[in-house]
């Protein structure tokens, strides 16, 4: 689902990604962000991205919103290990997310930002939750 500047739903994607058997909630939250950026790069969005310099991804996943900075700035320099020395969970997905973010920035001058939103707190987040539940079921 895409929401315009006024907060109105502008587009519901008929091409919902499938769920992955055995995936964790965190893996699916990361994959959702990856899929969004792939669609932006492929031009499969309801706007001409040439008019924009920023993509804001709203997520109710603190796992994603609180760790994206580490994925960009810390973990690569630490060989994808955490401060405690354990491997970063879901490193392959984090690497793909960072690669897509960097590609958008380098090729199109589009900066990606993540913002945490409380889940099921408004009509948009309730709709997204319903779509996710339908895909999982």
């Amino acid at each position: 689902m895409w929401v315009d500047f006024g907060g109105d739903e502008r587009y519901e994607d008929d091409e919902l990604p499938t769920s992955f058997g055995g995936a964790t909630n965190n893996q699916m939250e990361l994959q959702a962000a990856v899929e969004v950026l792939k669609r932006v790069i492929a031009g499969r969005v309801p706007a001409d991205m040439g008019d924009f310099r920023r993509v804001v991804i709203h997520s109710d996943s603190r796992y994603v919103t609180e760790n994206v900075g580490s994925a960009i700035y810390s973990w690569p320099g630490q060989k994808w290990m955490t401060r405690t020395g354990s491997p970063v969970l879901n490193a392959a997905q984090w690497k793909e997310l960072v690669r897509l973010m960097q590609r958008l920035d380098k090729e199109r001058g589009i900066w990606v930002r993540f913002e945490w939103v409380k889940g099921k707190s408004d009509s948009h987040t309730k709709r997204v939750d319903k779509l996710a539940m339908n895909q999982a079921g």
Side-chain angles (χ1 to χ4, degrees), residues 1 4 8-9 13 20-22 29 32 34 39 41 44-45 47 60 76 79-80 88 95 102 110 120 129-131 134:
M1 170 184 6
D4 69 14
D8 297 320
E9 292 179 18
D13 202 334
F20 300 99
E29 294 285 358
V34 166
R39 289 172 191 222
I41 289 168
R44 294 186 354 238
V45 295
D60 66 351
K79 299 183 180 175
W80 292 90
V88 170
K95 289 176 186 178
Q102 291 171 337
I110 296 174
K120 300 182 214 166
D129 184 67
K130 183 176 180 180
L131 291 169
N134 288 343

Side-chain angles (χ1 to χ4, degrees), residues 45-63:
V45 295
D48 177 3
M49 292 308 295
D51 296 337
F52 298 93
R53 295 290 157 242
R54 178 175 46 184
V55 169
V56 180
I57 298 176
H58 293 160
S59 175
D60 66 351
S61 170
R62 290 204 186 267
Y63 174 71

